[in-house]
Amino acid sequence: GALREARARGIVVVRASRIAEGCVRSRLEVDDEAFGFAVSGTLGPPKARILVQMLIANGITDPPAVRRAFALT
């Protein structure tokens, strides 16, 4: 799909949800590690976007490093 194509082009992909409460967990709907995705955990899309922007600005785009950063939130 589109997310896999984006990741193949080197784009950082983070799955997030717009629901009011809850958490996006890894490997429940998608094999995130296999596709190089990260999940936002408890961060909503706006906060996840800010974290991704900070990571990219600091040269962090490697999927495992992005996943580690989101795991710390």
Side-chain angles (χ1 to χ4, degrees):
L3 293 178
R4 282 185 264 168
E5 290 175 17
R7 185 61 219 134
R9 290 192 316 257
I11 296 171
V12 175
V13 175
V14 178
R15 294 188 313 109
S17 176
R18 294 183 297 200
I19 62 171
E21 291 185 23
C23 154
V24 178
R25 296 181 191 262
S26 184
R27 293 183 298 241
L28 289 181
E29 300 147 350
V30 177
D31 189 352
D32 298 293
E33 287 186 29
F35 295 129
F37 302 164
V39 294
S40 65
T42 58
L43 294 181
K47 290 180 181 178
R49 179 178 295 153
I50 291 169
L51 179 53
V52 167
Q53 290 171 334
M54 291 174 56
L55 293 170
I56 292 170
N58 285 285
I60 299 169
T61 59
D62 181 55
V66 173
R67 281 194 290 275
R68 283 192 301 275
F70 275 92
L72 296 173
T73 63

